[in-house]
Amino acid sequence: MAITVLIVDDSKFFCKRVGTILNSASDINVIGVAHNGREAIDKAKSLQPDVITLDVEMPIMDGVTALKEIVKVCNAKVLMLSSLTYGNAKITLDALDAGATDFLLKSYESLTSNSEDLIKLLQSKIRELGQAKTFRRAPTYKAPISKAQTQVSPQAVKPLASRNTNASYTAPHKAPKKSYKLLAIGASTGGPVALQKLLMPIPENYPYPITITQHMPGTFTGAFASRMNGLCQLNVVEAEDGMSLKAGTVYVAPGGKQMVFEGTANSARIRIKPTTPRLQYSPSIDITFGSASKIFSGSVLGIILTGMGADGTEGSRLLKSCGARIWSQNEASCVVYGMPMSVTKAGISERELAIDEFAPAILKEIR
């Protein structure tokens, strides 16, 4: 059965062109078009499509406002279409938190030039979302605030272990079961929300650095890091070339580039390298995990979260061959059970966990 699609955009040219591209695939059927958020809500309710492509910026009602109503009347997977600006990146991340499944960069130039790459990308993205799961929940995001603003006088500070937080960690008095130097995480479709759930309970005195390799374009990774920094107890930054890895800091690989490491396990630095056309993903989980295996050897806990495809499998294989541990997200909690399935079927993943189980398991692992 064909995947049914509702296209929502204020540009008639865009709707017509996207409709032509999608309808050229035998397994995709565009069943409706809407030109503003209000019309999108009505058509989503009446047509009940499998997938909705939703523009961020529209008259009468914008995409995010419309999305919040669409998720109440329709169980469709929603693909946000956004231009490559920092402002739109922040709005798109809000949309993912409000119930959108994924996003795609909007390019009138590529549509006009009849780019084969864009045609393949758009059709494959719709197929991917046609197979994805829909998770609806109340938004959890609040505007980022400076961590310095939350500081109080030393006399008022309680030991972290006694604070009323989602989770607390007290440095162990005895050596952990396994010696770690790095927590490395890879994610794709569904990753921004999954990472939020995984990292928010981790306390600020987590004793190792954490790296995130999330498939995301360049402008978006900076906005994503800023958003996560406002949500997490940990310090979250977009990785820059030459940064030293520090305990309790999360480093988000910049989009459009590759993140690798140099130095030693006890004194490692991040190197940001240009990507190459032969690599499907930038950043690539395989590249980052593979580099981690050379610097940190077996002192890594690698985690593969929700996402399409198999990126991370070979990098995880290299890590595991050095003695590292690999965990993966279970099918029930994945938006797309692709990357986790790949490492599991390959016999690389040692544990499959629901997304809400990762933080407690990580903290227990290092005790």
PDB file of all heavy atoms in Angstrom, residues 84 103 105 212-222 238-239 252-259 271-285 287-288:
ATOM      1  N   LEU A  84      18.073  26.975   6.031  1.00  0.00           N
ATOM      2  CA  LEU A  84      19.307  26.803   6.808  1.00  0.00           C
ATOM      3  C   LEU A  84      19.692  28.112   7.494  1.00  0.00           C
ATOM      4  O   LEU A  84      20.625  28.798   7.103  1.00  0.00           O
ATOM      5  CB  LEU A  84      20.442  26.317   5.906  1.00  0.00           C
ATOM      6  CG  LEU A  84      21.744  25.874   6.575  1.00  0.00           C
ATOM      7  CD1 LEU A  84      21.473  24.752   7.548  1.00  0.00           C
ATOM      8  CD2 LEU A  84      22.754  25.450   5.533  1.00  0.00           C
ATOM      9  N   PHE A 103      13.196  16.381  10.177  1.00  0.00           N
ATOM     10  CA  PHE A 103      13.198  17.620   9.407  1.00  0.00           C
ATOM     11  C   PHE A 103      14.085  17.470   8.184  1.00  0.00           C
ATOM     12  O   PHE A 103      14.929  16.566   8.096  1.00  0.00           O
ATOM     13  CB  PHE A 103      13.680  18.792  10.264  1.00  0.00           C
ATOM     14  CG  PHE A 103      15.141  18.717  10.633  1.00  0.00           C
ATOM     15  CD1 PHE A 103      16.105  19.345   9.867  1.00  0.00           C
ATOM     16  CD2 PHE A 103      15.546  18.013  11.758  1.00  0.00           C
ATOM     17  CE1 PHE A 103      17.445  19.264  10.192  1.00  0.00           C
ATOM     18  CE2 PHE A 103      16.881  17.940  12.112  1.00  0.00           C
ATOM     19  CZ  PHE A 103      17.834  18.560  11.329  1.00  0.00           C
ATOM     20  N   LEU A 105      16.101  20.111   5.104  1.00  0.00           N
ATOM     21  CA  LEU A 105      16.392  21.461   4.664  1.00  0.00           C
ATOM     22  C   LEU A 105      15.624  21.777   3.388  1.00  0.00           C
ATOM     23  O   LEU A 105      15.540  20.969   2.465  1.00  0.00           O
ATOM     24  CB  LEU A 105      17.892  21.633   4.424  1.00  0.00           C
ATOM     25  CG  LEU A 105      18.782  21.565   5.667  1.00  0.00           C
ATOM     26  CD1 LEU A 105      20.229  21.777   5.277  1.00  0.00           C
ATOM     27  CD2 LEU A 105      18.352  22.584   6.705  1.00  0.00           C
ATOM     28  N   ILE A 212      28.531  13.465  21.256  1.00  0.00           N
ATOM     29  CA  ILE A 212      27.306  13.177  20.503  1.00  0.00           C
ATOM     30  C   ILE A 212      27.588  13.343  19.023  1.00  0.00           C
ATOM     31  O   ILE A 212      28.068  14.392  18.585  1.00  0.00           O
ATOM     32  CB  ILE A 212      26.161  14.120  20.904  1.00  0.00           C
ATOM     33  CG1 ILE A 212      25.718  13.859  22.341  1.00  0.00           C
ATOM     34  CG2 ILE A 212      24.984  13.974  19.949  1.00  0.00           C
ATOM     35  CD1 ILE A 212      24.658  14.839  22.831  1.00  0.00           C
ATOM     36  N   THR A 213      27.312  12.303  18.264  1.00  0.00           N
ATOM     37  CA  THR A 213      27.365  12.388  16.810  1.00  0.00           C
ATOM     38  C   THR A 213      25.934  12.190  16.316  1.00  0.00           C
ATOM     39  O   THR A 213      25.429  11.075  16.260  1.00  0.00           O
ATOM     40  CB  THR A 213      28.303  11.320  16.216  1.00  0.00           C
ATOM     41  OG1 THR A 213      29.569  11.373  16.891  1.00  0.00           O
ATOM     42  CG2 THR A 213      28.524  11.561  14.728  1.00  0.00           C
ATOM     43  N   GLN A 214      25.278  13.307  16.006  1.00  0.00           N
ATOM     44  CA  GLN A 214      23.879  13.315  15.580  1.00  0.00           C
ATOM     45  C   GLN A 214      23.828  13.791  14.129  1.00  0.00           C
ATOM     46  O   GLN A 214      24.380  14.833  13.792  1.00  0.00           O
ATOM     47  CB  GLN A 214      23.071  14.259  16.473  1.00  0.00           C
ATOM     48  CG  GLN A 214      21.727  14.712  15.925  1.00  0.00           C
ATOM     49  CD  GLN A 214      20.683  13.619  15.926  1.00  0.00           C
ATOM     50  OE1 GLN A 214      20.464  12.949  16.917  1.00  0.00           O
ATOM     51  NE2 GLN A 214      20.009  13.437  14.784  1.00  0.00           N
ATOM     52  N   HIS A 215      23.177  13.016  13.263  1.00  0.00           N
ATOM     53  CA  HIS A 215      23.045  13.435  11.872  1.00  0.00           C
ATOM     54  C   HIS A 215      22.214  14.713  11.806  1.00  0.00           C
ATOM     55  O   HIS A 215      21.009  14.708  12.072  1.00  0.00           O
ATOM     56  CB  HIS A 215      22.357  12.335  11.041  1.00  0.00           C
ATOM     57  CG  HIS A 215      23.151  11.081  10.957  1.00  0.00           C
ATOM     58  ND1 HIS A 215      22.604   9.876  10.593  1.00  0.00           N
ATOM     59  CD2 HIS A 215      24.467  10.831  11.179  1.00  0.00           C
ATOM     60  CE1 HIS A 215      23.536   8.941  10.592  1.00  0.00           C
ATOM     61  NE2 HIS A 215      24.685   9.503  10.951  1.00  0.00           N
ATOM     62  N   MET A 216      22.880  15.822  11.437  1.00  0.00           N
ATOM     63  CA  MET A 216      22.234  17.128  11.485  1.00  0.00           C
ATOM     64  C   MET A 216      23.106  18.132  10.731  1.00  0.00           C
ATOM     65  O   MET A 216      24.330  18.067  10.831  1.00  0.00           O
ATOM     66  CB  MET A 216      22.076  17.549  12.954  1.00  0.00           C
ATOM     67  CG  MET A 216      21.198  18.736  13.213  1.00  0.00           C
ATOM     68  SD  MET A 216      21.038  19.037  15.014  1.00  0.00           S
ATOM     69  CE  MET A 216      19.748  17.861  15.446  1.00  0.00           C
ATOM     70  N   PRO A 217      22.517  19.061   9.974  1.00  0.00           N
ATOM     71  CA  PRO A 217      23.324  20.053   9.261  1.00  0.00           C
ATOM     72  C   PRO A 217      23.996  21.057  10.194  1.00  0.00           C
ATOM     73  O   PRO A 217      23.622  21.176  11.372  1.00  0.00           O
ATOM     74  CB  PRO A 217      22.316  20.741   8.335  1.00  0.00           C
ATOM     75  CG  PRO A 217      20.983  20.480   8.942  1.00  0.00           C
ATOM     76  CD  PRO A 217      21.089  19.166   9.650  1.00  0.00           C
ATOM     77  N   GLY A 218      24.975  21.774   9.662  1.00  0.00           N
ATOM     78  CA  GLY A 218      25.829  22.621  10.465  1.00  0.00           C
ATOM     79  C   GLY A 218      25.131  23.652  11.338  1.00  0.00           C
ATOM     80  O   GLY A 218      25.385  23.732  12.538  1.00  0.00           O
ATOM     81  N   THR A 219      24.259  24.460  10.760  1.00  0.00           N
ATOM     82  CA  THR A 219      23.591  25.495  11.543  1.00  0.00           C
ATOM     83  C   THR A 219      22.758  24.897  12.664  1.00  0.00           C
ATOM     84  O   THR A 219      22.609  25.486  13.735  1.00  0.00           O
ATOM     85  CB  THR A 219      22.686  26.344  10.631  1.00  0.00           C
ATOM     86  OG1 THR A 219      23.471  26.880   9.571  1.00  0.00           O
ATOM     87  CG2 THR A 219      22.050  27.483  11.400  1.00  0.00           C
ATOM     88  N   PHE A 220      22.231  23.710  12.444  1.00  0.00           N
ATOM     89  CA  PHE A 220      21.357  23.077  13.423  1.00  0.00           C
ATOM     90  C   PHE A 220      22.102  22.541  14.638  1.00  0.00           C
ATOM     91  O   PHE A 220      21.571  22.533  15.745  1.00  0.00           O
ATOM     92  CB  PHE A 220      20.558  21.947  12.767  1.00  0.00           C
ATOM     93  CG  PHE A 220      19.409  22.430  11.921  1.00  0.00           C
ATOM     94  CD1 PHE A 220      19.629  23.168  10.773  1.00  0.00           C
ATOM     95  CD2 PHE A 220      18.106  22.154  12.288  1.00  0.00           C
ATOM     96  CE1 PHE A 220      18.583  23.623   9.990  1.00  0.00           C
ATOM     97  CE2 PHE A 220      17.045  22.595  11.518  1.00  0.00           C
ATOM     98  CZ  PHE A 220      17.285  23.336  10.365  1.00  0.00           C
ATOM     99  N   THR A 221      23.346  22.075  14.446  1.00  0.00           N
ATOM    100  CA  THR A 221      24.055  21.486  15.588  1.00  0.00           C
ATOM    101  C   THR A 221      24.386  22.535  16.647  1.00  0.00           C
ATOM    102  O   THR A 221      24.356  22.245  17.844  1.00  0.00           O
ATOM    103  CB  THR A 221      25.337  20.758  15.142  1.00  0.00           C
ATOM    104  OG1 THR A 221      26.069  21.584  14.231  1.00  0.00           O
ATOM    105  CG2 THR A 221      25.007  19.436  14.477  1.00  0.00           C
ATOM    106  N   GLY A 222      24.674  23.759  16.227  1.00  0.00           N
ATOM    107  CA  GLY A 222      24.919  24.824  17.194  1.00  0.00           C
ATOM    108  C   GLY A 222      23.672  25.135  18.004  1.00  0.00           C
ATOM    109  O   GLY A 222      23.724  25.291  19.230  1.00  0.00           O
ATOM    110  N   GLU A 238      28.851  22.860  21.254  1.00  0.00           N
ATOM    111  CA  GLU A 238      29.179  22.358  19.927  1.00  0.00           C
ATOM    112  C   GLU A 238      30.691  22.226  19.855  1.00  0.00           C
ATOM    113  O   GLU A 238      31.424  23.155  20.200  1.00  0.00           O
ATOM    114  CB  GLU A 238      28.678  23.305  18.840  1.00  0.00           C
ATOM    115  CG  GLU A 238      28.930  22.763  17.426  1.00  0.00           C
ATOM    116  CD  GLU A 238      28.388  23.676  16.344  1.00  0.00           C
ATOM    117  OE1 GLU A 238      28.405  24.906  16.543  1.00  0.00           O
ATOM    118  OE2 GLU A 238      27.983  23.177  15.290  1.00  0.00           O
ATOM    119  N   ALA A 239      31.169  21.071  19.442  1.00  0.00           N
ATOM    120  CA  ALA A 239      32.605  20.799  19.433  1.00  0.00           C
ATOM    121  C   ALA A 239      33.330  21.721  18.456  1.00  0.00           C
ATOM    122  O   ALA A 239      32.845  22.004  17.369  1.00  0.00           O
ATOM    123  CB  ALA A 239      32.857  19.347  19.059  1.00  0.00           C
ATOM    124  N   VAL A 252      28.979  18.172  21.029  1.00  0.00           N
ATOM    125  CA  VAL A 252      28.136  17.838  19.887  1.00  0.00           C
ATOM    126  C   VAL A 252      28.939  18.029  18.604  1.00  0.00           C
ATOM    127  O   VAL A 252      29.439  19.133  18.331  1.00  0.00           O
ATOM    128  CB  VAL A 252      26.872  18.726  19.851  1.00  0.00           C
ATOM    129  CG1 VAL A 252      26.021  18.405  18.625  1.00  0.00           C
ATOM    130  CG2 VAL A 252      26.061  18.550  21.129  1.00  0.00           C
ATOM    131  N   ALA A 253      29.081  16.976  17.816  1.00  0.00           N
ATOM    132  CA  ALA A 253      29.828  17.067  16.561  1.00  0.00           C
ATOM    133  C   ALA A 253      29.150  18.059  15.620  1.00  0.00           C
ATOM    134  O   ALA A 253      27.938  17.990  15.409  1.00  0.00           O
ATOM    135  CB  ALA A 253      29.910  15.695  15.897  1.00  0.00           C
ATOM    136  N   PRO A 254      29.894  19.007  15.047  1.00  0.00           N
ATOM    137  CA  PRO A 254      29.272  19.988  14.149  1.00  0.00           C
ATOM    138  C   PRO A 254      28.810  19.351  12.847  1.00  0.00           C
ATOM    139  O   PRO A 254      29.501  18.501  12.276  1.00  0.00           O
ATOM    140  CB  PRO A 254      30.396  21.001  13.911  1.00  0.00           C
ATOM    141  CG  PRO A 254      31.662  20.248  14.180  1.00  0.00           C
ATOM    142  CD  PRO A 254      31.324  19.248  15.243  1.00  0.00           C
ATOM    143  N   GLY A 255      27.656  19.761  12.377  1.00  0.00           N
ATOM    144  CA  GLY A 255      27.118  19.223  11.134  1.00  0.00           C
ATOM    145  C   GLY A 255      27.957  19.634   9.932  1.00  0.00           C
ATOM    146  O   GLY A 255      28.589  20.691   9.914  1.00  0.00           O
ATOM    147  N   GLY A 256      27.978  18.776   8.925  1.00  0.00           N
ATOM    148  CA  GLY A 256      28.718  19.060   7.703  1.00  0.00           C
ATOM    149  C   GLY A 256      30.202  18.789   7.799  1.00  0.00           C
ATOM    150  O   GLY A 256      30.950  19.008   6.843  1.00  0.00           O
ATOM    151  N   LYS A 257      30.667  18.292   8.961  1.00  0.00           N
ATOM    152  CA  LYS A 257      32.086  18.012   9.171  1.00  0.00           C
ATOM    153  C   LYS A 257      32.230  16.674   9.880  1.00  0.00           C
ATOM    154  O   LYS A 257      31.247  16.020  10.202  1.00  0.00           O
ATOM    155  CB  LYS A 257      32.734  19.138   9.980  1.00  0.00           C
ATOM    156  CG  LYS A 257      32.665  20.494   9.277  1.00  0.00           C
ATOM    157  CD  LYS A 257      33.251  21.599  10.126  1.00  0.00           C
ATOM    158  CE  LYS A 257      33.121  22.950   9.422  1.00  0.00           C
ATOM    159  NZ  LYS A 257      33.660  24.055  10.241  1.00  0.00           N
ATOM    160  N   GLN A 258      33.479  16.270  10.133  1.00  0.00           N
ATOM    161  CA  GLN A 258      33.743  15.024  10.844  1.00  0.00           C
ATOM    162  C   GLN A 258      34.507  15.313  12.133  1.00  0.00           C
ATOM    163  O   GLN A 258      35.436  16.127  12.144  1.00  0.00           O
ATOM    164  CB  GLN A 258      34.548  14.053   9.971  1.00  0.00           C
ATOM    165  CG  GLN A 258      33.877  13.698   8.654  1.00  0.00           C
ATOM    166  CD  GLN A 258      32.559  12.957   8.831  1.00  0.00           C
ATOM    167  OE1 GLN A 258      32.243  12.471   9.911  1.00  0.00           O
ATOM    168  NE2 GLN A 258      31.785  12.844   7.750  1.00  0.00           N
ATOM    169  N   MET A 259      34.115  14.641  13.200  1.00  0.00           N
ATOM    170  CA  MET A 259      34.760  14.824  14.502  1.00  0.00           C
ATOM    171  C   MET A 259      35.615  13.606  14.830  1.00  0.00           C
ATOM    172  O   MET A 259      35.108  12.485  14.868  1.00  0.00           O
ATOM    173  CB  MET A 259      33.721  15.042  15.603  1.00  0.00           C
ATOM    174  CG  MET A 259      34.342  15.262  16.989  1.00  0.00           C
ATOM    175  SD  MET A 259      33.132  15.770  18.254  1.00  0.00           S
ATOM    176  CE  MET A 259      32.215  14.226  18.474  1.00  0.00           C
ATOM    177  N   ARG A 271      39.474  17.026  17.068  1.00  0.00           N
ATOM    178  CA  ARG A 271      39.842  17.616  15.785  1.00  0.00           C
ATOM    179  C   ARG A 271      38.613  17.588  14.876  1.00  0.00           C
ATOM    180  O   ARG A 271      37.947  16.556  14.752  1.00  0.00           O
ATOM    181  CB  ARG A 271      41.005  16.864  15.128  1.00  0.00           C
ATOM    182  CG  ARG A 271      42.302  16.843  15.911  1.00  0.00           C
ATOM    183  CD  ARG A 271      42.762  18.218  16.388  1.00  0.00           C
ATOM    184  NE  ARG A 271      42.818  19.223  15.347  1.00  0.00           N
ATOM    185  CZ  ARG A 271      43.916  19.521  14.651  1.00  0.00           C
ATOM    186  NH1 ARG A 271      45.039  18.860  14.884  1.00  0.00           N
ATOM    187  NH2 ARG A 271      43.885  20.473  13.738  1.00  0.00           N
ATOM    188  N   ILE A 272      38.326  18.716  14.285  1.00  0.00           N
ATOM    189  CA  ILE A 272      37.195  18.828  13.357  1.00  0.00           C
ATOM    190  C   ILE A 272      37.757  18.870  11.943  1.00  0.00           C
ATOM    191  O   ILE A 272      38.526  19.770  11.596  1.00  0.00           O
ATOM    192  CB  ILE A 272      36.351  20.082  13.652  1.00  0.00           C
ATOM    193  CG1 ILE A 272      35.855  20.065  15.103  1.00  0.00           C
ATOM    194  CG2 ILE A 272      35.182  20.164  12.683  1.00  0.00           C
ATOM    195  CD1 ILE A 272      34.991  18.879  15.463  1.00  0.00           C
ATOM    196  N   LYS A 273      37.365  17.893  11.146  1.00  0.00           N
ATOM    197  CA  LYS A 273      37.913  17.741   9.799  1.00  0.00           C
ATOM    198  C   LYS A 273      36.832  17.957   8.734  1.00  0.00           C
ATOM    199  O   LYS A 273      35.653  17.691   8.980  1.00  0.00           O
ATOM    200  CB  LYS A 273      38.488  16.329   9.632  1.00  0.00           C
ATOM    201  CG  LYS A 273      39.556  15.946  10.652  1.00  0.00           C
ATOM    202  CD  LYS A 273      40.847  16.692  10.421  1.00  0.00           C
ATOM    203  CE  LYS A 273      41.957  16.163  11.325  1.00  0.00           C
ATOM    204  NZ  LYS A 273      43.226  16.875  11.114  1.00  0.00           N
ATOM    205  N   PRO A 274      37.239  18.420   7.548  1.00  0.00           N
ATOM    206  CA  PRO A 274      36.274  18.507   6.451  1.00  0.00           C
ATOM    207  C   PRO A 274      35.787  17.100   6.085  1.00  0.00           C
ATOM    208  O   PRO A 274      36.520  16.119   6.240  1.00  0.00           O
ATOM    209  CB  PRO A 274      37.083  19.122   5.303  1.00  0.00           C
ATOM    210  CG  PRO A 274      38.304  19.698   5.936  1.00  0.00           C
ATOM    211  CD  PRO A 274      38.583  18.876   7.157  1.00  0.00           C
ATOM    212  N   THR A 275      34.564  17.017   5.610  1.00  0.00           N
ATOM    213  CA  THR A 275      34.062  15.722   5.169  1.00  0.00           C
ATOM    214  C   THR A 275      34.433  15.504   3.705  1.00  0.00           C
ATOM    215  O   THR A 275      35.008  16.378   3.067  1.00  0.00           O
ATOM    216  CB  THR A 275      32.539  15.626   5.364  1.00  0.00           C
ATOM    217  OG1 THR A 275      32.121  14.264   5.197  1.00  0.00           O
ATOM    218  CG2 THR A 275      31.799  16.543   4.408  1.00  0.00           C
ATOM    219  N   THR A 276      34.122  14.334   3.181  1.00  0.00           N
ATOM    220  CA  THR A 276      34.384  14.023   1.779  1.00  0.00           C
ATOM    221  C   THR A 276      33.111  13.509   1.128  1.00  0.00           C
ATOM    222  O   THR A 276      32.241  12.945   1.813  1.00  0.00           O
ATOM    223  CB  THR A 276      35.489  12.952   1.641  1.00  0.00           C
ATOM    224  OG1 THR A 276      35.039  11.737   2.276  1.00  0.00           O
ATOM    225  CG2 THR A 276      36.768  13.403   2.312  1.00  0.00           C
ATOM    226  N   PRO A 277      32.973  13.675  -0.191  1.00  0.00           N
ATOM    227  CA  PRO A 277      31.746  13.249  -0.876  1.00  0.00           C
ATOM    228  C   PRO A 277      31.444  11.757  -0.735  1.00  0.00           C
ATOM    229  O   PRO A 277      30.288  11.351  -0.839  1.00  0.00           O
ATOM    230  CB  PRO A 277      32.033  13.613  -2.350  1.00  0.00           C
ATOM    231  CG  PRO A 277      33.042  14.706  -2.287  1.00  0.00           C
ATOM    232  CD  PRO A 277      33.891  14.379  -1.103  1.00  0.00           C
ATOM    233  N   ARG A 278      32.469  10.944  -0.506  1.00  0.00           N
ATOM    234  CA  ARG A 278      32.238   9.498  -0.418  1.00  0.00           C
ATOM    235  C   ARG A 278      31.514   9.106   0.867  1.00  0.00           C
ATOM    236  O   ARG A 278      30.950   8.014   0.963  1.00  0.00           O
ATOM    237  CB  ARG A 278      33.567   8.738  -0.507  1.00  0.00           C
ATOM    238  CG  ARG A 278      34.474   8.936   0.675  1.00  0.00           C
ATOM    239  CD  ARG A 278      35.758   8.139   0.580  1.00  0.00           C
ATOM    240  NE  ARG A 278      36.620   8.341   1.737  1.00  0.00           N
ATOM    241  CZ  ARG A 278      36.483   7.720   2.897  1.00  0.00           C
ATOM    242  NH1 ARG A 278      35.502   6.838   3.049  1.00  0.00           N
ATOM    243  NH2 ARG A 278      37.295   7.957   3.904  1.00  0.00           N
ATOM    244  N   LEU A 279      31.526   9.999   1.863  1.00  0.00           N
ATOM    245  CA  LEU A 279      30.864   9.705   3.132  1.00  0.00           C
ATOM    246  C   LEU A 279      29.408  10.150   3.075  1.00  0.00           C
ATOM    247  O   LEU A 279      29.110  11.309   2.770  1.00  0.00           O
ATOM    248  CB  LEU A 279      31.576  10.412   4.283  1.00  0.00           C
ATOM    249  CG  LEU A 279      32.997   9.926   4.580  1.00  0.00           C
ATOM    250  CD1 LEU A 279      33.663  10.840   5.603  1.00  0.00           C
ATOM    251  CD2 LEU A 279      32.979   8.488   5.090  1.00  0.00           C
ATOM    252  N   GLN A 280      28.501   9.246   3.368  1.00  0.00           N
ATOM    253  CA  GLN A 280      27.075   9.550   3.293  1.00  0.00           C
ATOM    254  C   GLN A 280      26.641  10.516   4.393  1.00  0.00           C
ATOM    255  O   GLN A 280      25.753  11.343   4.177  1.00  0.00           O
ATOM    256  CB  GLN A 280      26.254   8.262   3.393  1.00  0.00           C
ATOM    257  CG  GLN A 280      24.753   8.474   3.244  1.00  0.00           C
ATOM    258  CD  GLN A 280      23.977   7.166   3.282  1.00  0.00           C
ATOM    259  OE1 GLN A 280      24.559   6.087   3.419  1.00  0.00           O
ATOM    260  NE2 GLN A 280      22.672   7.264   3.161  1.00  0.00           N
ATOM    261  N   TYR A 281      27.278  10.422   5.541  1.00  0.00           N
ATOM    262  CA  TYR A 281      26.868  11.241   6.679  1.00  0.00           C
ATOM    263  C   TYR A 281      27.991  12.158   7.135  1.00  0.00           C
ATOM    264  O   TYR A 281      29.155  11.764   7.189  1.00  0.00           O
ATOM    265  CB  TYR A 281      26.446  10.346   7.849  1.00  0.00           C
ATOM    266  CG  TYR A 281      25.338   9.387   7.512  1.00  0.00           C
ATOM    267  CD1 TYR A 281      25.608   8.029   7.353  1.00  0.00           C
ATOM    268  CD2 TYR A 281      24.033   9.826   7.340  1.00  0.00           C
ATOM    269  CE1 TYR A 281      24.599   7.126   7.039  1.00  0.00           C
ATOM    270  CE2 TYR A 281      23.014   8.937   7.020  1.00  0.00           C
ATOM    271  CZ  TYR A 281      23.302   7.584   6.873  1.00  0.00           C
ATOM    272  OH  TYR A 281      22.301   6.703   6.559  1.00  0.00           O
ATOM    273  N   SER A 282      27.614  13.374   7.470  1.00  0.00           N
ATOM    274  CA  SER A 282      28.587  14.293   8.063  1.00  0.00           C
ATOM    275  C   SER A 282      27.857  15.146   9.104  1.00  0.00           C
ATOM    276  O   SER A 282      27.092  16.016   8.722  1.00  0.00           O
ATOM    277  CB  SER A 282      29.234  15.169   6.996  1.00  0.00           C
ATOM    278  OG  SER A 282      28.257  15.823   6.198  1.00  0.00           O
ATOM    279  N   PRO A 283      28.054  14.845  10.359  1.00  0.00           N
ATOM    280  CA  PRO A 283      29.057  13.935  10.917  1.00  0.00           C
ATOM    281  C   PRO A 283      28.671  12.467  10.781  1.00  0.00           C
ATOM    282  O   PRO A 283      27.491  12.131  10.707  1.00  0.00           O
ATOM    283  CB  PRO A 283      29.115  14.333  12.390  1.00  0.00           C
ATOM    284  CG  PRO A 283      27.726  14.813  12.686  1.00  0.00           C
ATOM    285  CD  PRO A 283      27.277  15.516  11.439  1.00  0.00           C
ATOM    286  N   SER A 284      29.685  11.625  10.753  1.00  0.00           N
ATOM    287  CA  SER A 284      29.493  10.180  10.656  1.00  0.00           C
ATOM    288  C   SER A 284      29.828   9.516  11.988  1.00  0.00           C
ATOM    289  O   SER A 284      30.896   9.757  12.558  1.00  0.00           O
ATOM    290  CB  SER A 284      30.398   9.610   9.557  1.00  0.00           C
ATOM    291  OG  SER A 284      30.502   8.205   9.666  1.00  0.00           O
ATOM    292  N   ILE A 285      28.926   8.683  12.469  1.00  0.00           N
ATOM    293  CA  ILE A 285      29.151   7.944  13.709  1.00  0.00           C
ATOM    294  C   ILE A 285      30.314   6.977  13.541  1.00  0.00           C
ATOM    295  O   ILE A 285      31.149   6.818  14.439  1.00  0.00           O
ATOM    296  CB  ILE A 285      27.881   7.194  14.138  1.00  0.00           C
ATOM    297  CG1 ILE A 285      26.708   8.172  14.272  1.00  0.00           C
ATOM    298  CG2 ILE A 285      28.091   6.456  15.467  1.00  0.00           C
ATOM    299  CD1 ILE A 285      25.349   7.513  14.350  1.00  0.00           C
ATOM    300  N   ILE A 287      32.948   7.305  11.688  1.00  0.00           N
ATOM    301  CA  ILE A 287      34.218   8.032  11.740  1.00  0.00           C
ATOM    302  C   ILE A 287      34.591   8.376  13.177  1.00  0.00           C
ATOM    303  O   ILE A 287      35.728   8.152  13.622  1.00  0.00           O
ATOM    304  CB  ILE A 287      34.135   9.321  10.891  1.00  0.00           C
ATOM    305  CG1 ILE A 287      33.937   8.981   9.406  1.00  0.00           C
ATOM    306  CG2 ILE A 287      35.381  10.181  11.095  1.00  0.00           C
ATOM    307  CD1 ILE A 287      35.096   8.272   8.766  1.00  0.00           C
ATOM    308  N   THR A 288      33.636   8.915  13.940  1.00  0.00           N
ATOM    309  CA  THR A 288      33.926   9.313  15.320  1.00  0.00           C
ATOM    310  C   THR A 288      34.228   8.107  16.205  1.00  0.00           C
ATOM    311  O   THR A 288      35.193   8.104  16.982  1.00  0.00           O
ATOM    312  CB  THR A 288      32.753  10.118  15.908  1.00  0.00           C
ATOM    313  OG1 THR A 288      32.547  11.290  15.106  1.00  0.00           O
ATOM    314  CG2 THR A 288      33.039  10.537  17.342  1.00  0.00           C
TER     315      THR A 288
END
